[in-house]
Structures are given as structure tokens and as C-alpha cells.
Amino acid sequence: MKLFTFTTLLIFLFSLFDGLTVYAQTEEEKKKAYLEEIIQLQERPTSHDDFVSYHDETWLDWVERTGALPPDFGAVPSIPLLPDPLIMDEGGENMPIETLSQWQEQRKWIKQQVKQIFSGTFPEPPETLTAHVLEEREEDGVKIEMIELRFGEDERARLRLELFTPPGEGPFPVFMTQWNHRGWAQIAVRRGYMGLVYAGADARDDTRDYLALYPDYDWSTLMTRAWGAHRAVDYLYTLDHVDRSKIAITGHSRNGKQSLFAAAFDDRITAVITSSGGTGGEFPYRYTDDRHSNESIDFLVSRRTHWLHPRIRFYLGREHKMPIDQNSLMALIAPNALMLSSSIREGGGGDAWAVEHMYRSLEGIYDFLGHPERLGIRFRDGGHGAESRDIESYMDWLDVQFGRTTTIPWENKLYYDYSFEHWKELSGESVDPQNFAAISPGRSLLAGDNGVRIRNVSGWESKKDSIREKINWVMGEEPPGISASPIRGLSNRQDYVNSFLSRPQVSNGRVRHIAPYNALGDYLYADMYYPTDENGEMMTGENGKLPVVIYLHKYSNTGYDSQSDTGLSSLFEDILSRGMAVLAMDLIGYGQRIEDGTYFYQRHPHWSKLGKMVSDTQAAIDALETLEFVESEKIFLTGYSLGGTVSLFTAAIDDRVAGTAVASAFTPLRGVSEDVEGVKAYSHLYGLLPRLGFFAGMEERLPVDFPEIISSIAPRPLFVIAPELDRHADNERVKESMEKVRSVYELYRAGEEFRFDTPYNINIFSGWQRESIVEWLDKLQQ
């Protein structure tokens, strides 16, 4: 590696890690290991099709050629939640936009930022454009033309179109899409639209040549294709039988991404539908790191190196430092019509929760511009591909937007329709934080309520009872219920939804199911993975029993899904190889239980989703205790992100949990940095613990915080992994809280039962973390 490139990369990495201190040689070793990992990612071999830009084969080539440096992340403000397009920066102060002239200034600024981070720069429209009809024929009254557009210097740039004009005089609305979506245009033609497909897709891409023809611009592949779409609109504007007020563009997957670029930079496109565009499409970048199931920046740019501008890589792990997000790009489309569409259970790229947050963040700008009806959202079920029924629905929406005669009603149906304000209306609850004692973030856990230091286990046990009461208050009022009947055995029955979810598969064991009639909690499904011998028979210990690890998944729309979490199958195999079984289930609002969560607060306004998750986890323990082959004294919990949080809450109130291992599961809430979501993550963002929302801005009066919750697990074994570069956590506060937890374990003389690791990494459930958890669990079950 050349010195300049290596030095530049070092500057990037250590600016990424601003504010961190090296405590010991082990910290230096962690940094070195992480640096090597990043360098390996950026230097991955590329084919000709995987170039980063016209001038550069790899990202490091681009860094060396341009001398590009990352932002000064220490000076750049953090925006943990989605940036509001209607808030503009005025001399370092946030100012709400109140006039159209202010919005026009904001649009210019957003466009500059989009070019800087997402799309790259691109040329002005060509001064001249000529059209050549290469072929013309008629089919069932529809005129079909193959057209080649020529433009640019010596007309060296070209774009081929296939145009379908229905019978009649027009003017016709237009349905534009890319070459590989010709079938979509066929449906549009039957609905009375002029169809146009252009060669700006993998199947046929004339826009690739633009990079060489316009070498002074640093545009990405998706932007060149979008610019090609603009040239198609140029041609449409020359046709008298085109209704210029009704020009729509759509595309699926990567073509959905480019359609957004096209509509954002060309107001002549009056409607756009992005279909399963994923990251760079319907998803905000802030919700694409490893704790969600969407394509992260590192995943996307290491596999599709040229789709987006190379500069976006600087924001890996620091997505909250972006001055804009994907909703900012979409705001440029307003007030033209925009619909977001995806699958609710699309593995690895169909997170309905993230799409809905994008939709909600855009309502303000459409309201401000006086056209809320032009913003739409549509979900389907199943995998990544769109079917004819989906395209017909897209046409229904376009008919509504274009004022065409239709008797088909349109509904923007949501699956995560939650807000803290709406919950307050549903529940009628009101909490005055002033009625709760203020607790300093630095206060010792061993400080008693009477101010006297706790010096023995009995004193702590008394305080723990109080902490558990507070935990239960925060989780809400669980409705009275009855226990499930004992499990009669494992089953082969599955929910039909599993047919399009990629559940983990193991080569060293078998998976059987706990089906509703077999009784797990309130009519729930779960999967039991257990080790088998060469004859396929269950392998147990000498006592004829198996320890069981309950695995709780992350913020994944597909639940415990191996497509969204590619390391899950190997994790389960590793656990089985140590002579333990795994029980996995979807938490409410995820996987096969997405619909269960939609009206949860209408049904249970005084409970909480996290409370339900904990209750279901306890029900899983109940069920396991009824199985003869389960060693009920060795039931463990593990999880990353959301699953880790649920594991901590469950273990804190249920002494049956024999050991708990979590990763990236929390940040303390009292005194937390403004750089992270903090308490609003639970009350406003994910709707897990609504009651915490009353304490936003007054976190010191929270009745309970994670240090107390986690300490309630003592003296049972606990393993906490908290990456130092986790942007969702205040790392210094995490370290301080873990020292407090350690003091409680030492009070029990059980310091060896508590392990705390801080790998030098971003929020990611790495292979090292998984291996460490399995090794730790293996020692426990010996």
C-alpha cells in the first residue's frame, strides 16, 4: 500500500474514533485489528464491473487520487434521529422553515449535500438532442417504436428507448421504467398509459458510456442512469401526445434507487414509485447498521462499489454524523407524488419499520407544501420480487395521483403506526417526573435509599426488590392471563410465513417446532435446534438432558432470519457443537409476528411491547421446563441489540435464567450524551417502553436505569459486550455503569461471574463476539 493512501486511511479511521483514549496495550491491539479489517474491506478485489468510479478501481485508489478526507466528526453535530427537512441551519442554529423562499434555499443546500455524499456531480442537460426511430410496428393498435437518442459532443452519447403508444389521440400519461421492467410497462399500456423503457439498467445500459464521455464529473452509476432518464423526459417533451403533467417513473431494487435520483433532480417527473429500493431507496441510512436487517453501508459499497459515491464510506459507523439522510433526498421530490413500496418480510432489505419512519418524516414537507395526498406507501408480503398484483396496485395509485377515473379506494396502510403522542391519547396516562427523585448519573448502586451505603447481600436484596418493582412499572401493566398447558412434544408444524423466511439451518443437528397447540405462552411458535448423532437421534449429556440457550433476535423485520443475519446458522451450529440446544422465536412486531404488534397499544394501552417480549421469553422458559430432555437449571439467554435488551430485562426479574450474554444491548439513560438516541429510542423511536417518554429531557428522574437493571442479575453469570465505537451508546457512560455493576457482583463475592468486554469496533455482531459468547456459555454448562 502506498504511504499516502495508508496515511489518509489512518486519518479517516482515527477521526472516526474521535474522543477515544488508549488505556492499555490491549486497546492498541484492538485498534490495529480493526484497522486491518477495514483495510481488507476497502482493498477487496474488484472486477471491471465493480469499479468505484471511472478513474478508480478501488476505494483506496479514489482516496489517493482525490486526497479526500472524512469530515471532522468531533466538530460535526450528531443527529441521532432522522434530520427534519424543514429545519435549516442558520449560523449554527437550527431554524424552522416557515416560507417557500426559505424552502427553496434549503432545497439548494440539500442538493449540494446529495451530490457530495450520495450521487456525485453530473452535467447540465445537453443543448441539443436528436431522436432516430430505429424500428416501428403496431400490435393490437399499440404503436411500438425503438428509438435512439443522440446528444453531447459530436452526438457520441446515446440512449435507446422502447416507446409504447396506446390507441387514441392523447394526450397520454406516461409510465417510465428501465429496460428489464418491460413487463411493468405492458400493464401500464393496458391501463391507458404510454409506456417507455430506457436502457439504463443492468440488462441494457447505454448510460455506462457517459462516464468516459463526461470525465470531469464524479457521478455514480445510479446517478448516470438517472441522468439518462432525464434525457428520456427531454424526448417526451417533444411529443404533442404526451401529457406533460403526468409523467411517472418507477423501478425495482437498484432501479428504485435510481428512480429517486431521477425524480429528485428533475421536477418534470411528476410521480415516482420506489419499489424495494432498500438502502439508497426507502431506507434511511441511520437505520441500516448491523442491528437492523437492512443493507449497511459497508455491505452495500463492498459489493456494489459504484452504485453510490465513494464518499459515503466515510460515514460507516457514523451514520448519525450525516448532515442529511435519504428522507432529505426524497424531500426534493415534493410536492410531486411519491410512493414508497416494499415487502414487510423481505429478508435483508425490506424493513417496514424503517420505511414507515421515512414516510412519517416526509409528511411534514408534503403538508407544508399543501399536498399531503401526494405521499403514499404500500407494503406487500413475501420476498424481494414484485408480482403483477403489485404493479396493478402501483397503477391504481398513479390513477389517483393523476386524477384519472377510478373506483378503487387507496389506503396508506401502516404496520408500525406508533407515536408517543398517540400512545398518550390511547392510554390517557400522564406522569409528572417531578414526583420522582432525581438520581445523579454518578451515584453508586450501593447507596441505599436512606443514604446509608449497602454493605451486605441482604441489604442489596432488599434494594433489588425495589428495583424489580420499578422495572415492572416501566414495562407497564401486564393483563391477567393463564399459563399454557405443558408441551406434549416437538412438532413438524410451522406457520406458513416461515415458507418465505430464511430460518437458520444446521448441519450438526435438527430443528423441530413448538407449535401453538403444543403450548408456548399465548399461542406462539418457536424453533428448537438440538444436536444429533450420525443416526439423526438427539444427543444429550450423561444425565439424558440438554442445556438450552434462548436466542433473541435483533431489530430485524424478519426475526431470527439467516438472510438478514448471515452468521446465525453458524452461531447455532457452534452452540450445538458444544452440547447445547437453541430455542429461537420471533418477538412481537417482527418476523411472523409483525401483524401481532400493529394494534398492540390499542389492545393493551397500559402494557408495553418490551413487557410483552419479556413475558413471552418467560413463557419460553416455562415451556422448556416441561420438556423432559431439557436441563431446566441450565437455561441461558443471549441476544444482540434488541435481543440483548430483552435478555437483560428478563434476567433482571426472573431468577430461573442461569446465565446471560448480550452484545450492544444498552446505553445508560441518565446523563447520556446528546449524540445518541437515549431514552427516546425506547419511548418514541421503537415504541418499546412508552412510559419512559415522560422523562425525556429529565432523565435524572427516571425511576430505574440500566445499571440497576443489570445489577439485578447478580450474582448469576453475566457477559456484556459493548463495542467502543457503538454510535447508539455513550461508551464512557457504559464503562462507568459496568464498574457499578461489578461492585454489586463483588458484594456477592462473585466477581468472576461478571465479564465485560469492549471490542474496538462499531455496532456490529462480529464473528469474534459470537465465538466469545459461545465459549463463555460452554464454560457455564460444564
Side-chain angles (χ1 to χ4, degrees):
M1 183 183 297
K2 297 178 181 178
L3 179 60
F4 177 77
T5 300
F6 185 74
T7 303
T8 305
L9 184 59
L10 280 175
I11 293 172
F12 160 50
L13 290 172
F14 286 99
S15 65
L16 181 71
F17 310 150
D18 62 286
L20 297 175
T21 305
V22 178
Y23 295 99
Q25 182 62 33
T26 55
E27 296 293 324
E28 288 284 10
E29 291 171 353
K30 288 190 289 187
K31 289 183 179 182
K32 180 179 178 182
Y34 185 57
L35 175 62
E36 291 173 351
E37 182 180 329
I38 292 292
I39 292 175
Q40 186 177 26
L41 169 66
Q42 306 296 3
E43 288 201 313
R44 64 180 291 276
T46 58
S47 68
H48 179 68
D49 289 336
D50 286 336
F51 61 89
V52 170
S53 74
Y54 172 69
H55 301 283
D56 312 297
E57 183 178 353
T58 70
W59 183 76
L60 291 178
D61 292 338
W62 173 78
V63 170
E64 181 173 1
R65 179 179 62 84
T66 63
L69 292 173
D72 180 357
F73 289 121
V76 172
S78 297
I79 310 174
L81 305 179
L82 283 181
D84 186 344
L86 289 174
I87 298 293
M88 64 189 306
D89 182 281
E90 189 70 26
E93 297 291 330
N94 290 333
M95 184 177 71
I97 290 174
E98 298 176 345
T99 67
L100 288 177
S101 62
Q102 288 177 322
W103 170 240
Q104 290 304 319
E105 287 301 311
Q106 179 80 335
R107 287 187 89 240
K108 293 178 184 177
W109 177 81
I110 292 175
K111 285 183 177 182
Q112 292 171 352
Q113 297 300 316
V114 169
K115 292 177 183 179
Q116 175 80 358
I117 303 172
F118 299 158
S119 69
T121 57
F122 50 89
E124 292 294 320
E127 294 183 1
T128 59
L129 179 144
T130 59
H132 307 274
V133 178
L134 305 179
E135 180 184 342
E136 181 178 330
R137 61 191 174 90
E138 187 173 300
E139 184 177 324
D140 196 22
V142 177
K143 184 167 72 171
I144 302 174
E145 298 173 276
M146 191 69 69
I147 299 167
E148 182 180 78
L149 305 181
R150 285 284 182 173
F151 50 90
E153 184 178 353
D154 299 327
E155 292 195 334
R156 289 188 295 162
R158 71 170 182 171
L159 182 71
R160 282 169 289 181
L161 317 173
E162 192 173 12
L163 190 66
F164 315 102
T165 305
E169 296 182 0
F172 301 105
V174 179
F175 181 91
M176 288 177 56
T177 191
Q178 300 76 32
W179 205 267
N180 54 324
H181 297 322
R182 188 181 190 273
W184 294 26
Q186 290 176 226
I187 294 175
V189 170
R190 290 195 185 274
R191 300 285 291 265
Y193 285 70
M194 176 183 287
L196 183 152
V197 296
Y198 61 95
D202 290 357
R204 177 172 287 183
D205 189 6
D206 292 340
T207 70
R208 185 183 182 91
D209 295 335
Y210 302 169
L211 298 171
L213 295 173
Y214 299 93
D216 295 335
Y217 299 92
D218 63 349
W219 43 359
S220 62
T221 291
L222 295 180
M223 191 61 234
T224 61
R225 292 176 178 179
W227 194 78
H230 296 167
R231 307 290 68 80
V233 177
D234 290 344
Y235 174 67
L236 289 173
Y237 261 57
T238 67
L239 304 178
D240 293 336
H241 52 287
V242 165
D243 187 339
R244 295 183 179 183
S245 67
K246 299 179 177 62
I247 297 177
I249 189 170
T250 187
H252 189 73
S253 193
R254 67 198 67 179
N255 294 326
K257 306 181 206 291
Q258 66 150 305
S259 296
L260 290 173
F261 278 144
F265 287 103
D266 193 334
D267 295 339
R268 298 174 301 173
I269 297 173
T270 54
V272 58
I273 301 172
T274 172
S275 175
S276 286
T279 302
E282 305 90 44
F283 300 156
Y285 289 98
R286 280 166 172 77
Y287 306 141
T288 58
D289 53 9
D290 198 40
R291 68 179 192 165
H292 296 92
S293 59
N294 308 318
E295 294 177 333
S296 59
I297 289 177
D298 60 311
F299 179 92
L300 188 63
V301 301
S302 65
R303 288 159 177 79
R304 313 296 184 194
T305 57
H306 51 92
W307 282 5
L308 299 168
H309 194 277
R311 189 170 282 104
I312 197 171
R313 298 194 189 200
F314 285 140
Y315 292 93
L316 167 62
R318 285 293 181 268
E319 292 85 354
H320 65 309
K321 294 291 186 177
M322 284 185 175
I324 59 171
D325 209 311
Q326 192 69 1
N327 64 326
S328 310
L329 169 69
M330 292 185 180
L332 298 176
I333 297 170
N336 284 335
L338 165 65
M339 183 168 78
L340 316 182
S341 179
S342 187
S343 166
I344 61 172
R345 273 178 277 260
E346 182 178 331
D351 187 348
W353 176 88
V355 177
E356 287 187 17
H357 273 268
M358 182 80 84
Y359 170 81
R360 287 299 194 193
S361 73
L362 292 167
E363 287 182 318
I365 184 60
Y366 275 87
D367 285 344
F368 175 75
L369 296 175
H371 290 286
E373 77 285 355
R374 293 183 184 173
L375 179 63
I377 189 169
R378 180 187 182 273
F379 290 108
R380 65 182 190 281
D381 213 340
H384 181 62
E387 309 299 335
S388 60
R389 58 183 173 271
D390 303 307
I391 313 309
E392 292 284 7
S393 184
Y394 295 167
M395 301 311 304
D396 294 340
W397 181 79
L398 287 176
D399 281 349
V400 171
Q401 296 305 316
F402 289 162
R404 307 183 81 215
T405 301
T406 179
T407 59
I408 301 173
W410 184 264
E411 177 189 6
N412 291 323
K413 181 178 178 180
L414 304 179
Y415 289 85
Y416 295 91
D417 191 13
Y418 166 88
S419 72
F420 177 62
E421 295 302 322
H422 186 214
W423 171 80
K424 287 196 296 183
E425 294 176 4
L426 288 172
S427 67
E429 292 194 16
S430 178
V431 174
D432 184 358
Q434 295 293 342
N435 293 331
F436 294 77
I439 300 175
S440 167
R443 183 180 179 182
S444 169
L445 289 174
L446 297 180
D449 293 336
N450 57 4
V452 178
R453 180 177 175 81
I454 297 172
R455 299 186 181 278
N456 52 52
V457 170
S458 62
W460 173 256
E461 289 289 336
S462 177
K463 180 172 181 176
K464 182 161 68 174
D465 290 340
S466 174
I467 291 172
R468 286 180 167 178
E469 289 179 5
K470 294 172 182 176
I471 293 172
N472 284 317
W473 180 84
V474 165
M475 291 193 299
E477 301 164 16
E478 181 173 353
I482 59 175
S483 300
S485 302
I487 292 181
R488 298 190 298 273
L490 300 180
S491 166
N492 290 320
R493 179 187 171 191
Q494 297 186 70
D495 187 326
Y496 81 96
V497 174
N498 275 343
S499 65
F500 46 85
L501 292 177
S502 300
R503 300 303 195 190
Q505 301 295 315
V506 293
S507 60
N508 58 345
R510 188 178 179 185
V511 56
R512 297 288 298 279
H513 315 294
I514 300 175
Y517 63 82
N518 248 354
L520 188 158
D522 296 335
Y523 212 67
L524 304 179
Y525 280 91
D527 281 348
M528 174 72 82
Y529 297 79
Y530 56 84
T532 56
D533 60 21
E534 58 186 12
N535 297 317
E537 298 297 324
M538 181 185 292
M539 292 178 59
T540 60
E542 294 180 359
N543 60 358
K545 295 181 180 294
L546 279 171
V548 178
V549 178
I550 299 177
Y551 173 80
L552 300 173
H553 60 76
K554 60 183 182 177
Y555 293 99
S556 171
N557 64 301
T558 47
Y560 60 102
D561 177 75
S562 60
Q563 184 176 352
S564 301
D565 188 344
T566 55
L568 206 52
S569 292
S570 61
L571 173 64
F572 286 11
E573 285 183 338
D574 200 2
I575 293 173
L576 267 57
S577 72
R578 310 301 178 101
M580 297 177 283
V582 177
L583 183 140
M585 63 182 184
D586 288 330
L587 299 171
I588 186 167
Y590 298 92
Q592 65 190 39
R593 299 180 64 196
I594 287 177
E595 293 89 342
D596 293 19
T598 299
Y599 298 110
F600 178 83
Y601 286 113
Q602 284 85 344
R603 295 162 179 156
H604 306 293
H606 302 291
W607 202 8
S608 69
K609 281 189 176 179
L610 194 138
K612 173 60 172 167
M613 293 172 182
V614 169
S615 178
D616 290 343
T617 306
Q618 290 180 293
I621 299 174
D622 294 339
L624 290 173
E625 288 180 328
T626 69
L627 291 172
E628 292 184 357
F629 65 85
V630 171
E631 192 168 0
S632 58
E633 294 79 20
K634 293 183 179 179
I635 297 175
F636 311 112
L637 299 181
T638 190
Y640 159 67
S641 184
L642 171 62
T645 305
V646 177
S647 296
L648 291 175
F649 270 80
T650 305
I653 65 171
D654 196 324
D655 291 330
R656 295 177 298 171
V657 178
T660 307
V662 301
S664 301
F666 76 100
T667 187
L669 303 177
R670 297 190 192 110
V672 72
S673 165
E674 294 182 357
D675 289 347
V676 301
E677 300 104 329
V679 71
K680 285 189 174 182
Y682 301 97
S683 60
H684 290 64
L685 195 58
Y686 297 104
L688 295 172
L689 294 168
R691 284 182 175 172
L692 293 186
F694 291 114
F695 299 88
M698 301 184 69
E699 288 82 357
E700 73 281 359
R701 295 189 179 273
L702 282 166
V704 68
D705 197 356
F706 278 100
E708 302 102 279
I709 295 168
I710 297 172
S711 294
S712 298
I713 299 172
R716 288 167 290 143
L718 174 64
F719 181 17
V720 175
I721 300 175
E724 289 197 33
L725 309 178
D726 182 358
R727 69 181 176 90
H728 302 285
D730 185 330
N731 188 256
E732 290 305 313
R733 294 282 295 111
V734 170
K735 290 178 180 178
E736 292 170 7
S737 66
M738 290 300 94
E739 287 304 310
K740 295 178 184 179
V741 171
R742 186 177 300 280
S743 70
V744 175
Y745 272 84
E746 290 174 349
L747 186 70
Y748 281 97
R749 301 183 185 277
E752 72 282 357
E753 301 294 348
F754 175 65
R755 177 178 170 184
F756 174 53
D757 284 359
T758 57
Y760 201 79
N761 211 327
I762 59 177
N763 187 311
I764 188 172
F765 198 26
S766 67
W768 173 88
Q769 293 178 35
R770 298 169 195 256
E771 292 167 7
S772 299
I773 286 175
V774 172
E775 291 173 2
W776 183 82
L777 290 169
D778 188 29
K779 291 178 181 178
L780 284 190
Q781 62 105 13
Q782 297 298 329

